[in-house]
Amino acid sequence: LQGSRTSHGLSGDTVVASETFEGGTAGWSNQRRHHNNYYSYFLGHWGAGESTQKTFTIDRSLVTVVEFDWYRLDSWDGETFRVWFNGQQVLQSPGFTGWAHIKDTKRGTSLGISWEMVPDVGSWGSRWGRRMWNEQSFKVTLTVPANWASSSSLKVKVGSTLDQGRGDEAWGLDNWILRKKDPNSPCP
């Protein structure tokens, strides 16, 4: 991984925000940043009751796409990952465990927002700290339809249903990209 993923958007799309967290976490409400040899620097790691959020300026008349890498770390036992846009929950993942290797893409739609979580091939393994648990990375993409937001602000909050501290089970974010879609693009 090493902090190097690029957007799969078409050449006409415009990147509005892009963060790898190698140089800091400006603007995020919880600015914890962590580093290890596999993940490099990333935003997190968080456990029970912890979240972070940031507000972005968007062109509400265009489709907006939010993409990032999500890291499931350590001993999850059925908890879920969550995303909110402007205070409304738009993604609740299926329950994850620290021993299940997810190989298929997870998809859903909530409040008009479509989302998918694509497992990163090769990310399954003991990458964090405790050798008896395996971590896994996912590329998360959320698509916000034109005119979904009531203003030009998109407040993005990320969290989980973890019930243990970050020393036992945790998550993190990396390679954050927010882009607006070219209205002439033939692809969604």
Side-chain angles (χ1 to χ4, degrees), residues 4 7 13 43-45 60 96 109 118 137 145 149 160-162 179:
S4 61
S7 168
D13 293 356
L43 186 61
H45 68 294
R60 64 181 294 277
F96 289 100
T109 301
V118 180
S137 304
S160 74
T161 61
L162 290 177
R179 60 184 168 86

Side-chain angles (χ1 to χ4, degrees), residues 15 17 25-26 34 47 51 61 67 73 92 112 129 145-146 154 163 165 174 177:
V15 173
T25 59
H34 200 81
S51 63
S61 70
E67 301 173 314
L73 307 170
Q92 178 162 323
L154 183 67
D163 58 6
D174 206 357
I177 297 172

Side-chain angles (χ1 to χ4, degrees), residues 8-21:
H8 68 265
L10 297 176
S11 61
D13 293 356
T14 302
V15 173
V16 176
S18 177
E19 301 179 57
T20 63
F21 307 109

Side-chain angles (χ1 to χ4, degrees), residues 83 85 87-91 109-115 143-145 148:
V83 178
F85 286 167
Q88 299 181 74
Q89 184 175 301
V90 295
L91 184 159
T109 301
S110 179
L111 301 174
I113 307 295
S114 61
W115 59 267
T143 303
V144 182
W148 182 87

Side-chain angles (χ1 to χ4, degrees), residues 83-139:
V83 178
W84 294 261
F85 286 167
N86 294 344
Q88 299 181 74
Q89 184 175 301
V90 295
L91 184 159
Q92 178 162 323
S93 74
F96 289 100
T97 63
W99 56 87
H101 183 187
I102 306 301
K103 297 178 181 175
D104 58 321
T105 297
K106 306 298 181 190
R107 290 185 177 88
T109 301
S110 179
L111 301 174
I113 307 295
S114 61
W115 59 267
E116 70 176 15
M117 299 180 74
V118 180
D120 182 15
V121 176
S123 71
W124 170 256
S126 182
R127 313 270 187 223
W128 189 240
R130 296 180 356 188
R131 299 280 181 228
M132 61 189 195
W133 300 107
N134 289 303
E135 285 67 48
Q136 191 166 9
S137 304
F138 295 81
K139 181 181 178 316

